[in-house]
């Protein structure tokens, strides 16, 4: 699409005129309906409404000719006359050909032909054109405005959208109360067809074809009979969730069921219930969920056996046979291996080969199991049920987007490689505010070859450009990438006052600074965004950043309040007051979303509570983290907080080395009312202070560093003496290490400091492949920088002592003896039956140690891993001597995603993200 004419180009709109739209009235109703959407979209862009030809009119001039192969007489005639070659799409699933054809019919100079292989192939071609001319799929759902264009031209060519990689691609509206349900009730009076028409259109504009409807307190088929009819007309395949068999909603059983939800005692009633559901929907394109879970998405009753479950599936198949129609015959039959149901499969339960096995993640984005080579031969194939939202252990997460797309790519790429490509369905909660990951998930499912691991940032930038224009696209893409990465390292619902260390590595300070800097960029950019784009910018960019920044700062501030109260700081109450301000800011931002945004269009969509969790279930109301108040002493009195000490009673000390060249701090604070003067003196000229004294009413921070040009070689120490006027002095010991070797400027790799070496995985010194197996970078993956993973992901496991692909990390250590290696990896699971999640660790030429990241994988271990968004694995290593060493990480099982390595001579200081990366010199590749 272009706004300037080109040679032989097709004029869609120019000079106050538009091409006509012509659709065979014998085509699918969904195609005809979508063509009317195109008419409306062209008017949205140009202000001109194309003429939509009726049965009695003849086309003339230039025409957009839309039709489905074998359903459109004009398209079929062009094919017969060899004027339209559809050989690349005919008979394919959801494929489209777009081509300009000269003089396709009398009176028509040329036609832009959109020919679909089937109903959705044509519909997707229509919506692709709408997107090309400037109508975002999110024009309604995220209020993305349409930029006016005076002219629209299509460059002559032959454009083909082939078959999607995943056949059924869709979303599950779930965990939908209070937010989505409150909004739907206010806007539509319930989950009726007026609401679902908006969902159907969105899905088709996103080139998706599949939906599991909201089901907590509604029944898609029963609440409004138009729901199912219109879904089929639009072209959306309907399914039911993993625990709602035979097209019956859970709420339908609650309304009409008699007796227990127990097939061993109530089979006749259940068979009738299921038969009625199949009869009702037998002519609507669907997927049929088979099997059975306990009532209310609970495990089956204790003692449920495989034989009973196999009988349930067999009886359900018999019901289907009794109601068979061409539609029902073609509908996929699906068995969701969710939670304990997977265990039944592992213990030997089987279903017919034509049933699709819907494998599931662990509800936290980590796929539990993928098909074996033998299972890939099954005619029913396999799919994935994935989560962007969840209600359950270890905690709900349903408030805001916390899904970095690099993680989505890593897991769904495994699914594709292992043949789970029949169905992809993702739980998206309330739909908003998951707009961005929804589109990525569905786009990846359609064309994964285009959107590999190295194209995630490109995807984000192109998405930002489509929604907001090219001028700010790079900045917006960076904002979206960064906020999802920050939320991905720990979901807001899991935050607490002690999540990030207030004492060690300035961790809380760094996290807070990250969010504040991100918010400042977002608010600065907001001033450059045109007024008509403000609502969309707020929904898609600013709100998730600001909301997340407030919550992170709130917990950190409340944590400071508690720490400072313990230290006896007179200003601890100031942080209590600041926490209350932030709590109020959270409420005000929610109100802005619900009541001000888009003139109240999205009222209730931000009703989800998210503050004050005490266990897995959400709090009934947002609860501010507890804060403490202090009563200052009657007279001013000095107190000190030395970085890393947290008011420790032992000797106060600060350590520095010539490699890291750290800056440390000493806080001089007041325990009482009024103010006091302090003086700070150093014992050595190489100790540098940002201030040597001043008046303190609350606190004053002294930044401490070392002038390395004056520091003597070797290990040395000095003192800082801090004195309150007319009072006692406090001494802080300063230790400095300036070794003669290795030379800082000639350092090879990393160097030990503070008793550890911390290394980001992508900063390896050397990568060695073995045959086609190699380590490669997944950009933007993980909590801190990126991930290094094993490719190809289908590679066979490499047994210990065999040659393997390795990553090497060169480092210089000042200590020897016993070291602890903490390997920080993604929370991936052992998705191949009978295999662990293993790798090898070796130092220098020592024998490699086999490490299984899942050796300890109790429910508690799993809960820790998904809460932390990483898995931490510890290995003991022996260092024979100080000096240079090489750490080697070897491939055993694909699936390992290495994020960070921390080698320490002693216990690390407690922190969430681990110590910052150590200084490193040249990293030879």
């Amino acid at each position: 699409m272009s706004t300037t004419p080109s040679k032989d180009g097709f004029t869609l709109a120019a000079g106050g005129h538009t091409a006509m739209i012509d659709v065979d009235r014998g085509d699918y109703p969904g195609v005809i309906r979508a063509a009317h959407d195109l008419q409306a979209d062209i008017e949205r862009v140009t202000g001109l409404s194309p003429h939509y030809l009726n049965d009695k009119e003849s086309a003339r001039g230039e025409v957009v000719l839309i039709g489905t192969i074998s359903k459109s007489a004009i398209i079929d005639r062009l094919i017969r006359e060899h004027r339209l070659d559809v050989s690349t799409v005919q008979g394919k699933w959801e494929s489209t050909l777009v081509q300009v054809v000269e003089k396709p019919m009398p009176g028509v100079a040329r036609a832009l032909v959109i020919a679909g292989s089937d109903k959705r192939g044509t519909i997707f071609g229509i919506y692709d054109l709408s997107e090309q001319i400037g109508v975002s799929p999110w024009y309604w759902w995220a209020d993305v405005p349409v930029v006016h264009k005076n002219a629209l031209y299509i460059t002559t060519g032959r454009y083909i959208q082939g078959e999607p990689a995943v056949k059924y691609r869709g979303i599950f509206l779930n965990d939908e109360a209070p937010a989505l349900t409150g909004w739907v009730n206010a806007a539509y009076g319930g989950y009726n067809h007026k609401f679902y028409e908006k969902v159907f259109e969105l899905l088709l504009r996103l080139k998706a074809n599949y939906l599991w409807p909201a089901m907590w307190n509604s029944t898609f088929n029963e609440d409004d009979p138009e729901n199912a009819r219109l879904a089929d007309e639009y072209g959306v395949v309907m399914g039911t969730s993993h625990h709602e068999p035979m097209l019956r909603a859970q709420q339908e059983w609650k309304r009409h069921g008699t007796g227990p939800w127990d097939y061993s005692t109530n089979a006749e009633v259940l068979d009738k219930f299921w038969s009625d559901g199949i009869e009702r929907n037998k002519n609507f394109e669907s997927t049929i969920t088979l099997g059975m879970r306990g009532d209310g998405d609970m495990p089956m009753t204790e003692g449920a056996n495989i034989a009973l479950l196999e009988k349930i599936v067999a009886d359900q198949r018999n019901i289907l046979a009794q109601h068979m129609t061409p539609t029902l015959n073609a509908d996929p039959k699906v068995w969701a291996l969710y939670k304990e149901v997977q265990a039944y499969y592992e213990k030997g339960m089987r279903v017919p080969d034509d049933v699709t096995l819907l494998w599931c993640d662990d509800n936290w984005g980590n796929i539990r199991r993928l098909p074996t080579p033998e299972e890939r031969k099954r005619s029913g194939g396999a799919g994935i049920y994935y989560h962007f939202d969840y209600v359950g252990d270890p905690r709900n997460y349903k408030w805001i987007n916390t899904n970095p797309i690099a993680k989505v790519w890593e897991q769904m790429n495994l699914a594709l490689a292992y043949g789970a490509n029949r169905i992809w369905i993702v739980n998206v909660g309330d739909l908003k505010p998951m707009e961005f990951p929804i589109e990525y998930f569905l786009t990846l499912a359609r064309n994964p070859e285009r959107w590999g691991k190295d194209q995630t940032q490109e995807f984000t930038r192109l998405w930002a450009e489509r929604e907001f224009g090219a001028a700010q696209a790079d900045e917006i893409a960076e904002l979206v990438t960064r906020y999802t990465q920050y939320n991905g390292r720990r979901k807001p619902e899991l935050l607490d006052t002690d999540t990030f260390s207030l004492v060690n590595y300035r961790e809380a300070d760094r996290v807070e600074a990250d969010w504040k800097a991100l918010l400042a960029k977002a608010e600065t950019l907001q001033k450059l965004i045109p007024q008509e784009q403000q609502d969309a910018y707020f929904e898609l960019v600013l709100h998730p950043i600001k909301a997340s920044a407030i919550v992170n700062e709130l917990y950190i501030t409340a944590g400071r309040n508690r720490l400072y109260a313990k230290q006896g700081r007179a200003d601890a109450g100031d942080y209590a007051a600041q926490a209350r301000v932030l709590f109020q800011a959270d409420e005000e931002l929610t109100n802005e979303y619900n009541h001000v945004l888009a003139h109240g269009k999205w009222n209730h969509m931000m009703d989800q509570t998210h503050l004050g969790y005490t266990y897995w279930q959400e709090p009934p109301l947002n609860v501010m983290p507890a804060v403490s108040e202090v009563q200052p002493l009657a007279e001013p009195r000095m107190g000190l907080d030395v970085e890393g000490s947290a008011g420790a009673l032992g000797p106060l000390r600060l350590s520095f080395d010539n490699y890291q060249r750290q800056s440390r701090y000493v806080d001089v604070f007041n325990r009482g009312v009024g103010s006091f003067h302090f003086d700070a003196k150093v014992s050595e000229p190489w100790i540098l202070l940002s201030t040597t004294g001043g008046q303190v009413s609350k606190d004053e921070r002294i930044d401490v560093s070392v002038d390395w040009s004056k520091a003597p070689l070797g290990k040395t120490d000095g003192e800082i003496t801090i004195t309150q006027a007319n009072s006692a002095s406090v001494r802080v010991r300063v230790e400095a290490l300036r070794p003669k070797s290795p030379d800082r400027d000639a350092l090879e790799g990393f160097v030990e400091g503070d008793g550890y070496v911390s290394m980001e995985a992508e900063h390896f010194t050397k990568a060695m492949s073995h045959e086609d197996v190699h380590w490669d970078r997944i950009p933007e993956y993980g909590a801190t920088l990126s991930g290094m993973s094993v490719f190809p992901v289908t590679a066979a496991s490499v047994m210990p002592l065999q040659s393997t692909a390795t990553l090497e990390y060169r480092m210089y250590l000042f200590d020897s003896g016993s070291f602890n290696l903490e390997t920080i990896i993604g929370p991936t699971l052992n998705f191949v039956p009978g295999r662990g999640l293993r790798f090898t660790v070796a130092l220098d030429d020592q024998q490699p140690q086999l490490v299984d990241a899942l050796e300890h994988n109790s429910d508690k271990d799993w809960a820790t891993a998904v809460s932390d968004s990483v898995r931490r694995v510890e290995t003991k290593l022996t260092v024979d001597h100080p000096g240079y060493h090489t750490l080697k990480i070897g491939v055993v099982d694909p699936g390992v995603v290495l994020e960070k390595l921390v080698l320490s001579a002693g216990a690390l200081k407690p922190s969430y993200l681990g110590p910052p990366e150590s200084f490193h010199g040249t990293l030879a590749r």
Side-chain angles (χ1 to χ4, degrees):
M1 201 286 296
S2 174
T3 56
T4 56
S6 61
K7 184 180 179 181
D8 299 325
F10 178 84
T11 303
L12 185 60
H17 300 283
T18 68
M20 297 179 175
I21 296 176
D22 191 9
V23 185
D24 192 315
R25 292 305 177 271
D27 215 319
Y28 294 100
V31 169
I32 295 169
R33 191 207 58 77
H36 281 289
D37 279 353
L38 176 62
Q39 180 187 32
D41 289 342
I42 293 172
E43 184 174 12
R44 287 184 177 102
V45 175
T46 66
L48 304 169
S49 180
H51 183 68
Y52 195 106
L53 290 166
N54 62 39
D55 290 339
K56 297 178 182 180
E57 292 180 295
S58 298
R60 61 192 182 277
E62 292 192 313
V63 175
V64 179
L65 183 57
I66 298 169
T68 307
I69 299 168
S70 299
K71 286 288 285 185
S72 168
I74 299 175
I75 296 295
D76 291 347
R77 177 176 60 77
L78 292 174
I79 296 169
R80 286 196 306 271
E81 294 172 355
H82 303 290
R83 304 181 64 192
L84 189 67
D85 179 4
V86 297
S87 58
T88 53
V89 300
Q90 191 165 19
K92 301 293 181 65
W93 179 262
E94 297 180 348
S95 300
T96 313
L97 167 67
V98 180
Q99 181 179 330
V100 175
V101 176
E102 302 290 334
K103 299 179 179 178
M105 62 189 77
V108 176
R110 50 185 18 201
L112 177 67
V113 177
I114 300 175
S117 63
D118 54 21
K119 174 170 62 176
R120 280 186 293 273
T122 310
I123 292 170
F124 292 160
I126 293 168
Y127 284 131
D128 193 54
L129 180 58
S130 289
E131 185 176 346
Q132 291 287 325
I133 67 175
V135 179
S136 166
W138 299 98
Y139 79 96
W140 191 88
W141 277 98
D143 301 302
V144 177
V146 177
V147 177
H148 179 82
K149 299 180 179 73
N150 289 321
L152 299 170
Y153 302 94
I154 308 299
T155 305
T156 300
R158 181 177 168 84
Y159 305 100
I160 295 171
Q161 289 287 341
E163 287 190 304
V166 178
K167 192 168 186 178
Y168 295 96
R169 311 164 305 283
I171 64 173
F172 178 20
L173 302 176
N174 192 218
D175 311 326
E176 63 269 25
L180 181 63
T181 296
W183 175 77
V184 166
N185 288 340
Y188 296 103
Y191 285 98
N192 54 40
H193 73 278
K194 294 294 185 183
F195 162 72
Y196 276 111
E197 283 178 324
K198 296 295 187 184
V199 178
F200 300 155
E201 181 189 334
L202 173 67
L203 287 171
L204 295 172
R205 286 182 181 271
L206 292 171
K207 320 302 188 299
N209 61 7
Y210 190 42
L211 176 66
W212 288 0
M215 44 69 64
W216 268 19
N217 289 294
S218 60
T219 63
F220 177 82
N221 294 292
E222 190 174 86
D223 289 346
D224 185 346
E226 284 291 279
N227 286 344
R229 187 191 70 78
L230 285 171
D232 193 68
E233 179 179 300
Y234 270 71
V236 174
V237 182
M238 294 304 301
T240 48
S241 71
H242 55 280
H243 68 100
E244 296 177 303
M246 303 292 278
L247 299 177
R248 297 307 299 260
Q250 175 187 337
Q251 293 300 320
E252 290 182 83
W253 177 257
K254 290 186 175 181
R255 295 175 187 178
H256 310 302
T258 57
W261 179 266
D262 184 343
Y263 203 73
S264 65
T265 63
N266 202 23
E268 184 176 346
V269 172
L270 285 163
D271 283 346
K272 175 66 166 59
F273 177 72
W274 292 334
S275 295
D276 291 346
I278 296 301
E279 177 64 25
R280 177 184 61 195
N281 292 71
K282 65 183 180 181
N283 293 316
F284 298 150
E285 196 176 4
S286 310
T287 64
I288 316 298
T289 298
L290 301 180
M292 189 175 183
R293 288 195 84 211
D295 195 14
D297 195 19
M298 299 299 289
M300 292 281 279
T301 55
E302 190 70 26
N305 56 64
I306 289 172
L308 175 61
L309 287 166
E310 289 179 337
K311 175 174 171 50
I312 290 170
V313 172
D315 290 351
Q316 289 170 340
R317 298 273 298 200
N318 287 333
I319 292 170
L320 292 172
Q322 293 164 13
H323 297 266
M324 193 56 65
T325 62
T327 300
L328 195 59
N329 185 56
D331 286 343
K333 286 70 181 175
V334 180
W335 186 33
L337 301 168
Y338 184 71
K339 289 192 176 179
E340 81 288 343
V341 180
Q342 181 178 322
Y344 304 151
Y345 183 88
E346 305 293 1
K347 292 174 182 176
M349 180 178 172
R350 291 296 181 266
V351 295
D353 270 9
D354 65 347
V355 175
T356 301
L357 299 181
L358 191 66
W359 300 101
C360 305
D361 68 356
D362 61 356
N363 303 305
W364 290 75
N366 308 295
I367 295 173
R368 300 170 68 200
R369 169 79 145 74
L370 286 169
T372 63
E374 191 62 29
E375 289 164 347
R376 287 171 224 165
K377 299 174 184 177
R378 299 177 69 262
S379 60
I384 296 294
Y385 170 34
Y386 201 70
H387 285 75
F388 289 159
D389 159 285
Y390 180 57
V391 169
D393 287 330
R395 190 154 293 181
N396 296 355
Y397 64 96
K398 48 188 294 200
W399 171 52
I400 210 157
N401 177 27
T402 59
N403 302 283
I405 63 172
K407 167 69 180 291
V408 177
W409 178 87
E410 181 264 333
Q411 285 291 295
M412 300 316 294
N413 179 61
L414 294 176
L416 285 166
Y418 282 80
N421 60 1
R422 190 63 55 88
I423 296 172
W424 281 12
I425 184 80
V426 58
N427 186 328
V428 300
D430 302 309
L431 196 153
K432 295 179 72 68
M434 302 296 176
E435 299 96 337
F436 178 65
I438 285 173
E439 182 162 358
Y440 179 76
F441 181 90
L442 297 173
T443 303
L444 182 67
R446 186 163 178 84
N447 191 4
E449 290 187 4
R450 171 65 179 87
W451 301 111
K453 64 181 178 60
D454 296 315
Q455 282 76 50
T456 52
Q457 190 63 9
E458 180 189 0
F459 177 90
T460 310
R461 185 187 61 76
L462 290 174
W463 173 86
E465 182 176 338
R466 186 193 67 196
E467 309 303 58
F468 302 104
Q472 279 82 40
D474 287 343
E475 292 176 87
I476 290 174
E478 174 63 16
L479 290 171
V480 171
T481 298
R482 216 49 61 206
Y483 100 72
T484 51
Q485 181 191 38
Y486 294 166
N487 270 343
R489 61 193 177 192
R490 193 167 185 90
K491 299 182 186 297
E493 292 89 342
L494 283 153
L495 292 173
D496 208 338
T497 54
D498 58 357
T499 297
F500 302 111
S501 177
L502 292 154
V503 177
N504 300 317
Y505 311 122
R506 301 195 186 185
E507 183 174 64
D509 292 349
R510 290 187 289 116
V511 169
E512 184 180 39
D514 285 345
W515 277 114
K516 284 186 173 180
L518 196 68
L519 178 57
K521 290 178 183 177
E523 291 182 326
T524 298
L525 190 60
Q526 183 189 25
K527 298 173 184 176
L528 304 177
I529 299 294
Q531 182 59 42
E532 63 271 16
Q533 294 180 343
Q534 287 290 329
D535 286 345
Y537 184 77
F538 183 84
E539 292 168 55
L540 299 174
V541 184
L542 181 60
H543 175 267
I545 292 173
K546 190 171 185 178
S548 304
I550 288 171
V551 169
N552 275 265
E553 187 180 357
L554 170 59
Y555 279 109
I556 290 170
T557 299
R560 284 201 190 100
N561 161 260
R562 294 185 190 184
L563 174 63
Y564 291 176
K566 289 179 181 178
Q567 292 175 340
R569 294 194 186 204
D571 65 348
D574 293 352
Y575 291 90
Q578 185 181 342
R580 294 187 185 98
V581 169
L582 289 164
F583 185 70
Q584 181 65 29
D586 174 84
E587 181 181 1
E588 291 171 357
L589 188 63
T590 296
N591 289 336
E592 182 178 357
Y593 198 113
N594 282 344
H595 304 303
V596 179
L597 171 66
H599 306 291
K601 175 181 177 180
W602 301 113
N603 188 24
H604 297 295
M605 196 60 88
M606 273 299 138
D607 283 357
Q608 179 61 53
T609 57
H610 48 276
L611 295 170
Y613 275 81
T614 57
Y615 70 120
W616 70 267
Q617 183 59 284
E618 65 198 44
L621 298 170
N622 284 324
V623 180
M624 194 184 89
V627 293
S628 301
E629 298 288 350
V630 298
Q631 289 184 346
L633 300 173
E635 301 293 334
R637 185 179 302 176
M638 183 179 76
L640 290 187
D641 179 23
V642 176
E643 182 173 348
S645 71
L649 298 177
L652 299 175
R653 67 182 67 195
L654 296 171
S655 61
F656 301 82
D657 68 72
N658 185 40
Y659 304 103
Q660 321 294 336
R661 296 188 175 178
Q662 304 92 336
S663 174
R664 309 290 198 191
Y665 68 80
V666 176
D667 280 347
V668 182
F669 60 82
N670 190 357
R671 298 179 187 272
V673 176
S675 65
F676 65 87
H677 186 84
F678 79 95
D679 292 300
K681 297 180 180 179
V682 300
S683 64
E684 305 296 335
W686 48 266
I687 303 174
L688 303 177
L689 305 180
S690 61
T691 181
T692 58
Q695 198 73 13
V696 176
S697 58
K698 292 186 177 179
D699 59 58
E700 180 77 22
R701 174 159 290 187
I702 305 172
D703 292 314
V704 184
S705 58
V706 171
D707 183 345
W708 293 104
S709 66
K710 296 179 181 178
L713 289 173
K715 184 179 289 188
T716 188
D717 57 49
E719 280 187 344
I720 306 169
T721 302
I722 301 172
T723 307
Q724 178 183 351
N726 304 315
S727 187
S729 298
V730 180
R731 290 178 172 80
V732 179
R733 183 175 178 177
V734 178
E735 300 170 345
L737 176 65
R738 186 188 172 197
K740 185 175 182 180
S741 65
D743 182 82
R744 190 176 192 270
D745 295 330
L747 181 68
E748 300 174 18
F750 291 86
V751 64
E752 180 185 352
D754 281 348
Y756 66 83
V757 181
S758 177
M759 301 169 285
E760 293 289 348
E762 74 167 60
H763 292 156
F764 54 86
T765 311
K766 186 177 181 180
M768 299 178 65
S769 60
H770 180 69
E771 297 176 347
D772 65 335
V773 179
H774 61 284
W775 292 91
D776 205 354
R777 175 175 173 262
I778 304 177
E780 314 296 348
Y781 179 98
T784 49
L785 183 61
S786 63
M788 295 295 297
S789 195
V790 181
F791 295 91
V793 296
T794 53
S797 298
V798 181
M799 293 302 101
L801 305 183
Q802 294 180 341
S803 297
T804 189
T806 58
L807 291 173
E808 295 186 356
Y809 297 86
R810 182 90 162 143
M811 66 190 73
Y812 191 94
L813 302 175
F814 294 103
D815 295 298
S816 61
S818 178
F819 272 66
N820 183 68
L821 175 66
E822 184 178 71
T823 306
I824 300 172
I825 65 174
T828 310
L829 298 172
N830 51 334
F831 50 86
V832 174
R835 193 176 78 182
L837 195 66
R838 300 167 295 179
F839 54 94
T840 61
V841 170
L843 194 65
D844 302 324
D845 295 325
Q846 295 175 8
Q847 188 85 355
Q849 295 185 49
L850 179 65
V851 180
D852 189 345
L854 298 175
E855 179 183 0
H856 304 290
N857 195 32
S858 66
D859 288 346
K860 183 179 179 180
D861 294 323
W862 167 82
T864 298
V866 296
S867 298
D868 293 351
S869 296
V870 297
R871 186 170 280 108
R872 296 178 174 88
V873 186
E874 295 191 353
T875 312
K876 297 300 181 184
L877 294 172
T878 300
V879 177
D880 296 330
H881 59 85
Y884 277 109
H885 296 274
T886 300
L887 178 66
K888 302 173 184 178
I889 308 296
V891 170
V892 177
D893 298 320
V896 174
V897 187
L898 187 65
E899 294 188 30
K900 193 172 182 177
L901 296 157
V902 183
L903 186 67
S904 57
L908 291 170
K909 298 174 183 176
S911 68
Y912 182 76
L913 297 171
E917 188 169 36
S918 301
F919 177 80
H920 50 84
T922 302
L923 297 174
R925 299 296 192 190

